[in-house]
Coordinates of all heavy atoms in Angstrom, one line a residue:
M1 N -3.2 -14.9 -24.7 CA -2.3 -14.1 -25.6 C -3.1 -13.6 -26.8 O -4.0 -14.1 -27.2 CB -1.3 -15.1 -26.2 CG -0.2 -14.4 -27.0 SD 1.1 -15.5 -27.3 CE 1.7 -15.0 -28.8
T2 N -2.8 -12.3 -27.1 CA -3.5 -11.6 -28.2 C -3.0 -12.0 -29.5 O -1.9 -12.0 -29.7 CB -3.3 -10.1 -27.9 OG1 -3.7 -9.8 -26.6 CG2 -4.2 -9.3 -28.8
K3 N -4.0 -12.3 -30.4 CA -3.6 -12.5 -31.8 C -3.4 -11.4 -32.6 O -4.0 -10.4 -32.5 CB -4.8 -13.3 -32.4 CG -4.6 -13.7 -33.9 CD -4.8 -15.2 -34.1 CE -4.7 -15.4 -35.6 NZ -3.4 -15.2 -36.3
T4 N -2.3 -11.5 -33.4 CA -1.9 -10.4 -34.3 C -2.6 -10.6 -35.6 O -2.9 -11.7 -36.0 CB -0.4 -10.2 -34.4 OG1 0.1 -11.4 -35.0 CG2 0.3 -9.8 -33.1
H5 N -2.7 -9.5 -36.4 CA -3.3 -9.6 -37.7 C -2.4 -10.3 -38.7 O -2.8 -11.1 -39.5 CB -3.8 -8.3 -38.1 CG -4.5 -8.1 -39.4 ND1 -3.9 -8.1 -40.7 CD2 -5.9 -8.2 -39.7 CE1 -4.7 -8.1 -41.6 NE2 -5.9 -8.1 -41.0
S6 N -1.2 -9.8 -38.7 CA -0.3 -10.2 -39.7 C 1.2 -9.6 -39.5 O 1.3 -8.7 -38.5 CB -0.6 -9.7 -41.2 OG -0.6 -8.3 -41.3
D7 N 2.2 -10.1 -40.1 CA 3.5 -9.6 -39.9 C 3.5 -8.1 -40.3 O 4.2 -7.3 -39.7 CB 4.5 -10.3 -40.8 CG 4.8 -11.8 -40.2 OD1 4.4 -12.1 -39.1 OD2 5.3 -12.6 -40.9
A8 N 2.7 -7.8 -41.4 CA 2.7 -6.4 -41.9 C 2.1 -5.5 -40.8 O 2.6 -4.4 -40.6 CB 1.9 -6.3 -43.2
A9 N 1.0 -6.0 -40.2 CA 0.4 -5.2 -39.1 C 1.2 -5.0 -38.0 O 1.3 -3.8 -37.3 CB -0.9 -5.9 -38.7
I10 N 2.1 -5.9 -37.6 CA 3.0 -5.8 -36.5 C 4.1 -4.7 -36.8 O 4.3 -3.8 -36.0 CB 3.7 -7.1 -36.2 CG1 2.7 -8.1 -35.6 CG2 4.9 -6.9 -35.2 CD1 3.3 -9.6 -35.5
I11 N 4.6 -4.8 -38.0 CA 5.7 -3.8 -38.4 C 5.0 -2.4 -38.5 O 5.6 -1.4 -37.9 CB 6.2 -4.2 -39.8 CG1 7.1 -5.4 -39.6 CG2 7.0 -3.0 -40.3 CD1 7.5 -6.1 -40.9
L12 N 3.9 -2.3 -39.1 CA 3.2 -0.9 -39.2 C 3.0 -0.5 -37.7 O 3.2 0.8 -37.5 CB 1.9 -1.1 -40.0 CG 1.2 0.2 -40.2 CD1 0.6 0.2 -41.7 CD2 0.2 0.6 -39.2
G13 N 2.4 -1.3 -36.9 CA 2.1 -0.8 -35.6 C 3.4 -0.4 -34.8 O 3.4 0.6 -34.0
E14 N 4.4 -1.1 -35.0 CA 5.7 -0.7 -34.3 C 6.1 0.6 -34.8 O 6.7 1.5 -34.0 CB 6.8 -1.7 -34.6 CG 6.6 -3.0 -33.9 CD 7.5 -4.2 -34.3 OE1 8.3 -4.0 -35.3 OE2 7.5 -5.2 -33.6
R15 N 6.0 0.9 -36.1 CA 6.4 2.2 -36.6 C 5.6 3.3 -36.1 O 6.1 4.4 -35.9 CB 6.4 2.1 -38.1 CG 7.4 1.2 -38.7 CD 7.2 1.1 -40.3 NE 8.2 0.2 -40.8 CZ 8.3 -0.2 -42.1 NH1 7.3 0.1 -42.9 NH2 9.2 -1.0 -42.5
V16 N 4.2 3.0 -36.0 CA 3.4 4.2 -35.4 C 3.8 4.4 -34.0 O 3.9 5.5 -33.5 CB 1.9 3.7 -35.5 CG1 1.1 4.6 -34.7 CG2 1.5 3.6 -36.9
R17 N 4.0 3.4 -33.2 CA 4.3 3.5 -31.7 C 5.6 4.2 -31.6 O 5.8 5.1 -30.8 CB 4.5 2.1 -31.1 CG 5.0 2.2 -29.5 CD 5.1 0.9 -28.9 NE 3.8 0.3 -28.6 CZ 3.4 -0.9 -29.1 NH1 4.3 -1.6 -29.8 NH2 2.2 -1.4 -28.8
E18 N 6.6 3.9 -32.4 CA 8.0 4.5 -32.4 C 7.9 6.0 -32.7 O 8.5 6.8 -31.9 CB 8.9 3.8 -33.5 CG 10.2 4.4 -33.5 CD 11.1 3.7 -34.6 OE1 11.0 2.5 -34.7 OE2 11.8 4.5 -35.3
Q19 N 7.0 6.4 -33.7 CA 6.9 7.8 -33.9 C 6.2 8.5 -32.8 O 6.5 9.6 -32.4 CB 6.2 8.0 -35.3 CG 6.0 9.4 -35.7 CD 7.3 10.0 -36.0 OE1 8.3 9.5 -36.3 NE2 7.3 11.4 -36.2
R20 N 5.1 7.9 -32.3 CA 4.4 8.4 -31.1 C 5.2 8.7 -29.9 O 5.3 9.8 -29.4 CB 3.2 7.5 -30.7 CG 2.5 8.0 -29.5 CD 1.3 7.1 -29.2 NE 1.6 5.7 -28.8 CZ 2.1 5.4 -27.7 NH1 2.3 6.3 -26.7 NH2 2.4 4.2 -27.3
L21 N 6.1 7.7 -29.6 CA 6.9 7.8 -28.5 C 8.1 8.9 -28.7 O 8.5 9.6 -27.8 CB 7.6 6.5 -28.1 CG 6.6 5.5 -27.6 CD1 7.3 4.1 -27.4 CD2 5.8 5.9 -26.3
K22 N 8.6 8.9 -29.9 CA 9.5 9.9 -30.4 C 9.1 11.3 -30.1 O 9.8 12.1 -29.6 CB 9.9 9.7 -31.8 CG 11.0 10.6 -32.4 CD 11.3 10.0 -33.8 CE 12.0 11.0 -34.6 NZ 12.2 10.6 -35.9
L23 N 7.8 11.5 -30.3 CA 7.2 12.9 -30.2 C 6.7 13.0 -28.7 O 6.2 14.1 -28.4 CB 6.0 13.0 -31.1 CG 6.3 13.0 -32.6 CD1 5.0 13.0 -33.4 CD2 7.3 14.2 -32.9
G24 N 6.8 12.0 -27.8 CA 6.4 12.2 -26.4 C 4.9 12.1 -26.3 O 4.4 12.8 -25.3
L25 N 4.2 11.5 -27.1 CA 2.7 11.5 -27.0 C 2.2 10.2 -26.4 O 2.8 9.2 -26.5 CB 2.1 11.6 -28.5 CG 2.3 12.8 -29.3 CD1 1.8 12.7 -30.7 CD2 1.8 14.1 -28.6
T26 N 1.1 10.3 -25.7 CA 0.5 9.1 -25.1 C -0.5 8.5 -26.1 O -0.7 9.2 -27.2 CB -0.4 9.5 -23.8 OG1 -1.4 10.4 -24.2 CG2 0.5 10.1 -22.8
L27 N -1.0 7.4 -25.8 CA -2.0 6.8 -26.7 C -3.2 7.8 -26.8 O -3.8 7.9 -27.9 CB -2.5 5.4 -26.2 CG -1.7 4.2 -26.5 CD1 -2.2 3.0 -25.9 CD2 -1.6 3.9 -28.0
E28 N -3.5 8.2 -25.6 CA -4.7 9.1 -25.7 C -4.5 10.4 -26.5 O -5.4 10.9 -27.1 CB -5.0 9.5 -24.2 CG -5.6 8.4 -23.4 CD -4.5 7.4 -22.8 OE1 -3.3 7.8 -23.0 OE2 -4.8 6.5 -22.1
D29 N -3.2 11.0 -26.4 CA -2.8 12.2 -27.1 C -3.1 11.8 -28.7 O -3.8 12.6 -29.3 CB -1.4 12.5 -26.9 CG -1.2 13.0 -25.5 OD1 -2.1 13.5 -24.9 OD2 0.1 12.9 -25.1
L30 N -2.5 10.7 -29.1 CA -2.6 10.4 -30.4 C -3.9 10.1 -31.0 O -4.4 10.6 -32.0 CB -1.6 9.2 -30.8 CG -1.7 8.7 -32.3 CD1 -1.3 9.8 -33.2 CD2 -0.7 7.6 -32.4
A31 N -4.7 9.5 -30.1 CA -6.1 9.2 -30.4 C -6.9 10.5 -30.6 O -7.7 10.6 -31.6 CB -6.7 8.3 -29.4
S32 N -6.7 11.3 -29.7 CA -7.4 12.6 -29.8 C -7.1 13.4 -31.0 O -8.0 13.9 -31.7 CB -7.1 13.5 -28.5 OG -7.7 14.7 -28.6
L33 N -5.8 13.5 -31.3 CA -5.3 14.2 -32.5 C -5.7 13.6 -33.8 O -5.9 14.3 -34.8 CB -3.8 14.3 -32.4 CG -3.1 15.2 -31.4 CD1 -1.6 14.9 -31.3 CD2 -3.4 16.7 -31.8
S34 N -5.9 12.3 -33.8 CA -6.3 11.6 -35.0 C -7.8 11.3 -35.0 O -8.3 10.5 -35.9 CB -5.5 10.3 -35.2 OG -5.6 9.4 -34.1
E35 N -8.5 11.8 -34.0 CA -10.0 11.7 -33.9 C -10.3 10.2 -33.9 O -11.3 9.7 -34.7 CB -10.7 12.3 -35.0 CG -10.5 13.9 -34.9 CD -11.1 14.7 -36.0 OE1 -11.5 14.0 -37.0 OE2 -11.2 15.9 -35.8
M36 N -9.7 9.4 -33.0 CA -10.0 8.0 -32.9 C -10.0 7.6 -31.4 O -9.8 8.6 -30.5 CB -8.8 7.2 -33.4 CG -8.6 7.3 -34.9 SD -7.0 6.4 -35.5 CE -7.4 4.8 -34.9
H37 N -10.5 6.5 -31.0 CA -10.5 6.0 -29.6 C -9.1 5.5 -29.3 O -8.5 4.8 -30.1 CB -11.6 5.0 -29.4 CG -11.9 4.7 -28.0 ND1 -11.2 3.9 -27.3 CD2 -12.9 5.3 -27.1 CE1 -11.6 3.9 -26.0 NE2 -12.7 4.7 -25.9
W38 N -8.7 5.7 -28.1 CA -7.3 5.3 -27.8 C -7.1 3.7 -27.8 O -6.0 3.3 -28.1 CB -6.9 5.8 -26.4 CG -7.6 5.2 -25.2 CD1 -8.8 5.7 -24.6 CD2 -7.3 4.1 -24.5 NE1 -9.1 4.9 -23.6 CE2 -8.2 3.8 -23.4 CE3 -6.2 3.2 -24.5 CZ2 -8.2 2.9 -22.6 CZ3 -6.2 2.1 -23.6 CH2 -7.2 2.0 -22.6
T39 N -8.2 3.0 -27.6 CA -8.1 1.5 -27.7 C -7.8 1.1 -29.1 O -7.1 0.1 -29.3 CB -9.3 0.8 -27.1 OG1 -10.5 1.2 -27.8 CG2 -9.5 1.1 -25.6
S40 N -8.4 1.8 -30.1 CA -8.2 1.5 -31.4 C -6.7 1.7 -31.9 O -6.1 0.9 -32.6 CB -9.1 2.3 -32.4 OG -10.4 2.1 -32.1
V41 N -6.2 2.8 -31.4 CA -4.7 3.2 -31.6 C -3.9 2.0 -31.0 O -3.0 1.6 -31.6 CB -4.3 4.5 -31.2 CG1 -2.8 4.8 -31.3 CG2 -5.2 5.6 -31.8
G42 N -4.2 1.6 -29.8 CA -3.4 0.6 -29.1 C -3.5 -0.7 -29.9 O -2.5 -1.5 -30.1
K43 N -4.7 -1.1 -30.5 CA -4.8 -2.4 -31.3 C -3.9 -2.3 -32.5 O -3.2 -3.2 -32.9 CB -6.2 -2.6 -31.7 CG -7.1 -3.0 -30.5 CD -8.5 -3.2 -30.9 CE -9.4 -3.7 -29.7 NZ -10.8 -3.8 -30.2
I44 N -3.9 -1.1 -33.1 CA -2.9 -0.9 -34.3 C -1.6 -1.0 -33.9 O -0.8 -1.7 -34.6 CB -3.3 0.5 -34.9 CG1 -4.7 0.5 -35.6 CG2 -2.2 0.9 -36.0 CD1 -5.1 2.0 -36.0
E45 N -1.1 -0.3 -32.8 CA 0.3 -0.5 -32.4 C 0.7 -1.9 -32.0 O 1.8 -2.2 -32.2 CB 0.5 0.5 -31.2 CG 0.6 1.9 -31.6 CD 1.0 2.8 -30.4 OE1 1.2 2.3 -29.3 OE2 1.1 4.1 -30.7
R46 N -0.2 -2.7 -31.5 CA 0.0 -4.1 -31.2 C 0.0 -5.1 -32.3 O 0.2 -6.2 -32.2 CB -0.8 -4.6 -30.0 CG -0.5 -3.8 -28.7 CD -1.3 -4.5 -27.6 NE -2.8 -4.5 -27.7 CZ -3.6 -3.4 -27.4 NH1 -3.1 -2.3 -27.0 NH2 -4.8 -3.5 -27.6
G47 N -0.4 -4.5 -33.5 CA -0.6 -5.4 -34.7 C -1.8 -6.3 -34.7 O -1.9 -7.2 -35.4
Q48 N -2.7 -5.9 -33.8 CA -4.1 -6.7 -33.8 C -4.9 -6.4 -34.9 O -5.8 -7.2 -35.3 CB -4.8 -6.4 -32.4 CG -4.0 -7.0 -31.3 CD -4.7 -6.6 -29.9 OE1 -5.0 -5.4 -29.7 NE2 -4.9 -7.6 -29.1
V49 N -4.9 -5.2 -35.5 CA -5.7 -4.8 -36.6 C -4.8 -4.0 -37.6 O -3.8 -3.5 -37.2 CB -6.9 -3.9 -36.2 CG1 -7.9 -4.7 -35.3 CG2 -6.4 -2.6 -35.6
H50 N -5.2 -4.0 -38.8 CA -4.5 -3.3 -39.8 C -5.4 -2.1 -40.2 O -6.5 -2.3 -40.6 CB -4.2 -4.2 -41.1 CG -3.1 -3.7 -41.8 ND1 -3.1 -2.6 -42.6 CD2 -1.8 -4.2 -42.0 CE1 -1.9 -2.4 -43.2 NE2 -1.2 -3.4 -42.8
P51 N -4.9 -0.9 -40.1 CA -5.8 0.2 -40.3 C -6.1 0.4 -41.8 O -5.3 0.0 -42.7 CB -4.9 1.5 -39.8 CG -3.5 1.0 -40.0 CD -3.5 -0.5 -39.7
N52 N -7.3 1.0 -42.1 CA -7.6 1.3 -43.5 C -6.8 2.6 -43.8 O -6.2 3.2 -43.0 CB -9.1 1.5 -43.6 CG -9.7 2.6 -42.8 OD1 -9.1 3.6 -42.6 ND2 -10.9 2.3 -42.4
V53 N -7.0 2.9 -45.1 CA -6.2 4.0 -45.6 C -6.5 5.4 -44.8 O -5.6 6.1 -44.4 CB -6.3 4.3 -47.1 CG1 -5.7 5.6 -47.5 CG2 -5.8 3.1 -47.9
E54 N -7.8 5.6 -44.6 CA -8.2 6.8 -43.9 C -7.6 6.9 -42.5 O -7.0 7.9 -42.1 CB -9.8 6.9 -43.8 CG -10.1 8.2 -43.0 CD -11.7 8.2 -42.8 OE1 -12.4 7.4 -43.2 OE2 -12.1 9.2 -42.1
T55 N -7.6 5.9 -41.8 CA -7.0 5.7 -40.4 C -5.6 6.0 -40.5 O -5.0 6.7 -39.7 CB -7.4 4.4 -39.8 OG1 -8.8 4.2 -39.7 CG2 -6.8 4.3 -38.4
L56 N -4.9 5.3 -41.4 CA -3.5 5.6 -41.6 C -3.1 7.0 -41.8 O -2.1 7.5 -41.3 CB -3.0 4.6 -42.7 CG -1.4 4.7 -42.9 CD1 -0.7 4.2 -41.7 CD2 -1.1 3.8 -44.1
V57 N -3.9 7.6 -42.7 CA -3.6 9.0 -43.0 C -3.9 9.9 -41.7 O -3.1 10.9 -41.5 CB -4.4 9.5 -44.2 CG1 -4.4 11.1 -44.4 CG2 -4.0 8.8 -45.5
R58 N -4.9 9.6 -41.0 CA -5.3 10.4 -39.8 C -4.1 10.2 -38.8 O -3.6 11.3 -38.1 CB -6.5 9.9 -39.1 CG -7.8 10.2 -39.8 CD -8.9 9.6 -39.1 NE -10.2 9.9 -39.8 CZ -11.0 10.9 -39.3 NH1 -10.8 11.5 -38.2 NH2 -12.1 11.2 -39.9
L59 N -3.6 9.0 -38.5 CA -2.5 8.8 -37.7 C -1.2 9.5 -38.2 O -0.6 10.2 -37.5 CB -2.2 7.3 -37.6 CG -3.2 6.5 -36.8 CD1 -2.9 5.0 -37.0 CD2 -3.2 6.8 -35.3
A60 N -0.9 9.4 -39.5 CA 0.3 10.0 -40.0 C 0.2 11.6 -39.8 O 1.2 12.1 -39.5 CB 0.5 9.6 -41.5
T61 N -0.9 12.1 -40.2 CA -1.1 13.6 -39.9 C -0.9 14.0 -38.6 O -0.2 15.0 -38.3 CB -2.5 14.0 -40.6 OG1 -2.6 13.6 -41.9 CG2 -2.7 15.4 -40.4
A62 N -1.4 13.3 -37.7 CA -1.3 13.6 -36.2 C 0.2 13.5 -35.8 O 0.7 14.2 -34.9 CB -2.3 12.7 -35.4
L63 N 0.9 12.6 -36.4 CA 2.2 12.4 -36.1 C 3.3 13.1 -37.0 O 4.5 13.0 -36.9 CB 2.7 10.8 -36.2 CG 1.9 9.9 -35.2 CD1 2.0 8.5 -35.6 CD2 2.4 10.2 -33.8
N64 N 2.7 14.0 -37.7 CA 3.5 14.9 -38.6 C 4.5 14.0 -39.5 O 5.7 14.2 -39.7 CB 4.4 15.8 -37.9 CG 3.7 16.8 -37.1 OD1 2.7 17.3 -37.6 ND2 4.1 17.1 -35.8
A65 N 3.9 12.9 -40.1 CA 4.6 12.0 -40.8 C 3.9 11.7 -42.2 O 2.8 11.9 -42.4 CB 4.8 10.7 -40.1
D66 N 4.7 11.3 -43.1 CA 4.2 10.9 -44.4 C 3.5 9.4 -44.2 O 4.3 8.6 -43.7 CB 5.2 10.8 -45.5 CG 4.8 10.4 -46.9 OD1 3.9 9.6 -47.0 OD2 5.3 11.0 -47.8
P67 N 2.3 9.2 -44.6 CA 1.7 7.9 -44.4 C 2.7 6.7 -45.0 O 2.6 5.6 -44.6 CB 0.4 7.9 -45.1 CG 0.1 9.3 -45.2 CD 1.3 10.1 -45.3
G68 N 3.3 7.1 -46.1 CA 4.2 6.1 -46.7 C 5.3 5.5 -45.9 O 5.7 4.3 -46.1
V69 N 5.7 6.2 -44.9 CA 6.8 5.7 -44.0 C 6.3 4.5 -43.2 O 7.1 3.7 -42.8 CB 7.4 6.8 -43.1 CG1 8.0 7.9 -43.9 CG2 6.5 7.3 -42.0
F70 N 5.1 4.5 -42.9 CA 4.5 3.4 -42.1 C 4.4 2.1 -42.9 O 4.3 1.0 -42.4 CB 3.2 3.8 -41.4 CG 3.3 4.9 -40.5 CD1 2.6 6.1 -40.8 CD2 4.1 4.9 -39.4 CE1 2.7 7.2 -39.9 CE2 4.3 5.9 -38.6 CZ 3.6 7.2 -38.8
V71 N 4.2 2.2 -44.3 CA 3.9 0.9 -45.1 C 5.1 0.7 -45.9 O 5.1 -0.4 -46.6 CB 2.7 1.2 -46.0 CG1 1.5 1.3 -45.1 CG2 2.8 2.3 -46.9
E72 N 6.1 1.5 -45.9 CA 7.3 1.3 -46.7 C 7.9 -0.1 -46.5 O 8.1 -0.5 -45.3 CB 8.4 2.3 -46.5 CG 9.7 2.2 -47.4 CD 10.7 3.3 -47.1 OE1 10.3 4.2 -46.3 OE2 11.7 3.2 -47.7
G73 N 8.1 -0.8 -47.6 CA 8.8 -2.3 -47.5 C 7.8 -3.3 -47.2 O 8.1 -4.5 -47.2
L74 N 6.5 -3.0 -46.8 CA 5.6 -4.1 -46.6 C 5.2 -4.7 -47.9 O 5.0 -4.0 -49.0 CB 4.4 -3.5 -45.8 CG 4.6 -2.8 -44.5 CD1 3.2 -2.4 -43.9 CD2 5.3 -3.7 -43.6
T75 N 4.9 -6.1 -47.9 CA 4.6 -6.7 -49.1 C 3.4 -7.6 -48.8 O 3.1 -8.0 -47.7 CB 5.8 -7.7 -49.6 OG1 6.1 -8.7 -48.6 CG2 7.0 -6.9 -49.8
A76 N 2.7 -8.1 -49.8 CA 1.6 -8.9 -49.8 C 1.9 -10.3 -49.1 O 1.1 -10.8 -48.5 CB 1.0 -9.2 -51.2
S77 N 3.1 -10.7 -49.2 CA 3.5 -12.0 -48.6 C 3.6 -12.0 -47.1 O 3.6 -12.9 -46.5 CB 4.9 -12.4 -49.2 OG 5.9 -11.5 -48.8
M78 N 3.5 -10.8 -46.6 CA 3.4 -10.5 -45.2 C 2.0 -10.8 -44.5 O 1.8 -10.8 -43.3 CB 3.9 -9.2 -44.7 CG 5.4 -8.9 -45.0 SD 5.8 -7.2 -44.7 CE 7.5 -7.3 -44.7
Y79 N 1.1 -11.1 -45.4 CA -0.3 -11.4 -44.9 C -0.6 -12.9 -45.1 O -0.3 -13.4 -46.2 CB -1.3 -10.6 -45.8 CG -1.2 -9.1 -45.6 CD1 -0.3 -8.3 -46.3 CD2 -1.9 -8.5 -44.5 CE1 -0.2 -7.0 -46.1 CE2 -1.8 -7.1 -44.3 CZ -1.0 -6.4 -45.1 OH -0.9 -5.0 -44.9
E80 N -1.0 -13.5 -44.1 CA -1.1 -15.0 -44.0 C -2.1 -15.5 -45.0 O -2.0 -16.5 -45.5 CB -1.5 -15.4 -42.6 CG -0.5 -15.0 -41.6 CD -1.0 -15.2 -40.2 OE1 -2.2 -15.7 -39.9 OE2 -0.3 -14.8 -39.3
K81 N -3.1 -14.7 -45.3 CA -4.3 -15.3 -46.2 C -4.0 -15.2 -47.6 O -4.8 -15.6 -48.5 CB -5.5 -14.5 -45.8 CG -6.0 -14.7 -44.4 CD -7.2 -13.8 -44.1 CE -7.5 -14.0 -42.7 NZ -8.5 -13.1 -42.2
R82 N -2.8 -14.8 -48.0 CA -2.4 -14.7 -49.4 C -2.3 -16.1 -50.0 O -1.5 -17.0 -49.6 CB -1.1 -14.0 -49.6 CG -0.7 -13.8 -51.1 CD -0.3 -12.4 -51.4 NE 0.4 -12.3 -52.6 CZ -0.1 -11.7 -53.6 NH1 -1.3 -11.0 -53.5 NH2 0.4 -11.6 -54.8
V83 N -3.1 -16.4 -51.1 CA -3.2 -17.7 -51.7 C -2.0 -17.9 -52.7 O -1.5 -19.1 -52.8 CB -4.6 -18.0 -52.4 CG1 -4.6 -19.3 -53.0 CG2 -5.7 -17.8 -51.3
H84 N -1.7 -16.9 -53.5 CA -0.6 -17.0 -54.4 C 0.3 -15.8 -54.4 O -0.1 -14.8 -53.7 CB -1.3 -17.2 -55.8 CG -2.1 -16.1 -56.2 ND1 -1.6 -14.9 -56.6 CD2 -3.4 -16.0 -56.3 CE1 -2.6 -14.1 -56.9 NE2 -3.8 -14.7 -56.8
G85 N 1.4 -15.9 -55.0 CA 2.3 -14.7 -55.0 C 2.4 -14.1 -56.4 O 3.3 -13.5 -56.7
L86 N 1.3 -14.3 -57.2 CA 1.4 -13.7 -58.6 C 1.2 -12.2 -58.6 O 0.5 -11.6 -57.7 CB 0.3 -14.3 -59.4 CG 0.3 -15.8 -59.7 CD1 -0.8 -16.3 -60.4 CD2 1.6 -16.1 -60.5
T87 N 1.8 -11.6 -59.4 CA 1.7 -10.1 -59.8 C 1.0 -9.9 -61.1 O 0.9 -10.9 -61.8 CB 3.0 -9.4 -59.8 OG1 3.8 -9.9 -60.8 CG2 3.8 -9.6 -58.4
A88 N 0.7 -8.7 -61.4 CA 0.1 -8.4 -62.7 C 1.1 -8.7 -63.8 O 0.7 -9.2 -64.8 CB -0.3 -6.9 -62.9
A89 N 2.5 -8.5 -63.6 CA 3.4 -8.9 -64.6 C 3.5 -10.4 -64.8 O 3.6 -10.8 -65.9 CB 4.8 -8.4 -64.1
D90 N 3.4 -11.2 -63.7 CA 3.3 -12.6 -63.9 C 2.1 -13.1 -64.7 O 2.2 -13.9 -65.6 CB 3.2 -13.3 -62.6 CG 4.4 -13.1 -61.7 OD1 5.5 -12.9 -62.3 OD2 4.3 -13.0 -60.5
F91 N 1.0 -12.5 -64.4 CA -0.3 -12.8 -65.1 C -0.2 -12.5 -66.6 O -0.5 -13.3 -67.4 CB -1.4 -12.1 -64.5 CG -2.8 -12.3 -65.2 CD1 -3.4 -13.5 -64.9 CD2 -3.3 -11.5 -66.1 CE1 -4.7 -13.7 -65.4 CE2 -4.6 -11.6 -66.7 CZ -5.2 -12.7 -66.4
I92 N 0.3 -11.2 -67.0 CA 0.4 -10.8 -68.3 C 1.4 -11.8 -69.1 O 1.2 -12.1 -70.2 CB 0.8 -9.3 -68.4 CG1 -0.3 -8.5 -67.9 CG2 1.3 -8.9 -69.8 CD1 0.1 -7.1 -67.5
R93 N 2.6 -12.1 -68.5 CA 3.6 -12.9 -69.1 C 3.0 -14.3 -69.4 O 3.1 -14.8 -70.5 CB 4.7 -13.0 -68.1 CG 6.0 -13.7 -68.8 CD 7.2 -13.6 -67.9 NE 6.9 -13.6 -66.4 CZ 7.1 -12.5 -65.6 NH1 7.4 -11.3 -66.2 NH2 7.0 -12.6 -64.4
E94 N 2.3 -14.8 -68.5 CA 1.6 -16.1 -68.7 C 0.5 -16.1 -69.8 O 0.4 -17.0 -70.6 CB 1.0 -16.7 -67.4 CG 0.6 -18.2 -67.5 CD 1.6 -19.1 -68.0 OE1 2.8 -19.0 -67.6 OE2 1.2 -20.0 -68.7
R95 N -0.3 -15.0 -69.9 CA -1.3 -14.8 -70.8 C -0.6 -14.7 -72.2 O -1.1 -15.4 -73.1 CB -2.1 -13.6 -70.6 CG -3.3 -13.4 -71.5 CD -4.1 -12.3 -71.1 NE -3.3 -11.0 -71.0 CZ -3.7 -9.9 -70.6 NH1 -5.0 -9.7 -70.0 NH2 -3.0 -8.8 -70.6
E96 N 0.5 -14.0 -72.3 CA 1.2 -13.9 -73.6 C 1.8 -15.2 -74.0 O 1.8 -15.6 -75.1 CB 2.3 -12.8 -73.5 CG 1.7 -11.4 -73.4 CD 2.8 -10.4 -73.1 OE1 3.9 -10.7 -72.8 OE2 2.4 -9.2 -73.2
R97 N 2.3 -16.0 -73.1 CA 2.8 -17.4 -73.4 C 1.7 -18.3 -74.0 O 2.0 -19.0 -74.9 CB 3.4 -18.0 -72.1 CG 4.8 -17.6 -71.8 CD 5.3 -18.3 -70.7 NE 6.4 -17.6 -70.1 CZ 6.7 -17.6 -68.8 NH1 5.9 -18.2 -67.9 NH2 7.7 -16.8 -68.4
E98 N 0.6 -18.2 -73.4 CA -0.5 -19.1 -73.7 C -1.0 -18.6 -75.1 O -1.3 -19.5 -76.0 CB -1.7 -18.9 -72.8 CG -2.8 -19.8 -73.0 CD -2.5 -21.3 -73.0 OE1 -1.7 -21.7 -72.2 OE2 -3.2 -22.1 -73.7
A99 N -1.1 -17.3 -75.4 CA -1.5 -16.8 -76.7 C -0.5 -17.2 -77.8 O -0.9 -17.7 -78.9 CB -1.6 -15.3 -76.7
S100 N 0.9 -17.3 -77.4 CA 1.9 -17.7 -78.3 C 1.8 -19.2 -78.6 O 1.9 -19.5 -79.8 CB 3.3 -17.3 -77.7 OG 4.3 -17.8 -78.6
R101 N 1.5 -20.0 -77.6 CA 1.3 -21.3 -77.7 C 0.1 -21.7 -78.7 O 0.2 -22.6 -79.5 CB 1.1 -22.1 -76.5 CG 2.4 -22.4 -75.7 CD 2.2 -23.1 -74.4 NE 2.5 -22.0 -73.5 CZ 2.2 -22.1 -72.2 NH1 1.8 -23.1 -71.7 NH2 2.5 -21.0 -71.4
R102 N -0.9 -21.0 -78.5 CA -2.2 -21.2 -79.3 C -1.9 -20.8 -80.8 O -2.3 -21.6 -81.7 CB -3.4 -20.4 -78.8 CG -4.0 -21.1 -77.7 CD -5.3 -20.4 -77.3 NE -5.1 -20.0 -76.0 CZ -5.7 -18.9 -75.3 NH1 -6.5 -18.2 -76.0 NH2 -5.5 -18.7 -74.1
S103 N -1.1 -19.7 -81.0 CA -0.9 -19.3 -82.4 C 0.0 -20.3 -83.1 O 0.0 -20.5 -84.3 CB -0.4 -17.9 -82.4 OG 0.9 -17.8 -81.8
E104 N 1.0 -20.8 -82.3 CA 2.0 -21.8 -82.9 C 1.3 -23.1 -83.2 O 1.6 -23.8 -84.2 CB 3.1 -22.2 -81.9 CG 4.0 -21.0 -81.8 CD 5.0 -21.2 -80.7 OE1 5.1 -22.3 -80.0 OE2 5.8 -20.2 -80.5
A105 N 0.3 -23.4 -82.5 CA -0.5 -24.7 -82.7 C -1.5 -24.6 -83.9 O -1.8 -25.6 -84.5 CB -1.3 -25.1 -81.4
S106 N -1.8 -23.3 -84.3 CA -2.7 -23.1 -85.4 C -2.1 -23.4 -86.7 O -1.0 -23.2 -87.0 CB -3.3 -21.7 -85.3 OG -3.8 -21.4 -84.1

């Protein structure tokens, strides 16, 4: 059985495949249009790899799509290696709380 990269990679790959099939393109067609090897496109569609931004833009351009449609709704929590769920807002809020506690203690 082939290992997938992440839930996000699976969703992104499904979206690419759906758009490719909707246009009646083969893997080879899409690979040629996006200047990639067809096996690389296949790995992306199966969620085995997550494309970098350049690859995503190449695929989207070949598919006449906005690259954003492929990543819409994907979140960091969809990646297995995420250690924490903090955002910049969480970090700033905690930093401000800590500063407030220090000033109250002074």
